[in-house]
Amino acid sequence: AARLSFTTSPSTPTAPNTAFTTQPKVTVQDAWQNTATTNTSNVTLTPSGATLTCTANPKAAAAGVAKFAACKMNTAGTYTLTATDGALTSAVSSSFTIS
């Protein structure tokens, strides 16, 4: 494993403290951007501001993909999420706005 990639960026909910309509998924990839299907390491999501809560954060990857659930932000604003996993190259989600 060499890097992380957002397979799915979060979608904008209607209000703070409302779960994202589409939950984030982060893929662990090798140096050639192939999914590291044997990877089960822990991926952590960190917001660019405010507080992010999810059912589990960090989330263990299954077959190289960390699927987060019930993630939401507590404050209105425009944000990105950064995914990290030890020494792997991190990934940044598309920006999204909480209104």
Side-chain angles (χ1 to χ4, degrees):
R3 56 172 280 180
L4 299 173
S5 176
F6 272 88
T7 310
T8 306
S9 286
S11 66
T12 302
T14 56
N17 294 312
T18 302
F20 302 140
T21 304
T22 302
Q23 293 293 312
K25 291 182 189 175
V26 178
T27 301
V28 181
Q29 298 178 326
D30 64 20
W32 300 274
Q33 299 182 12
N34 299 306
T35 302
T37 57
T38 59
N39 185 284
T40 58
S41 61
N42 288 318
V43 177
T44 301
L45 295 181
T46 306
S48 57
T51 300
L52 171 74
T53 57
C54 301
T55 303
N57 187 20
K59 177 72 176 170
V65 180
K67 297 177 183 178
F68 291 85
C71 295
K72 56 189 174 186
M73 301 290 290
N74 70 332
T75 305
T78 300
Y79 305 99
T80 58
L81 298 177
T82 300
T84 57
D85 183 351
L88 301 180
T89 301
S90 62
V92 178
S93 71
S94 300
S95 66
F96 56 95
T97 301
I98 309 295
S99 57

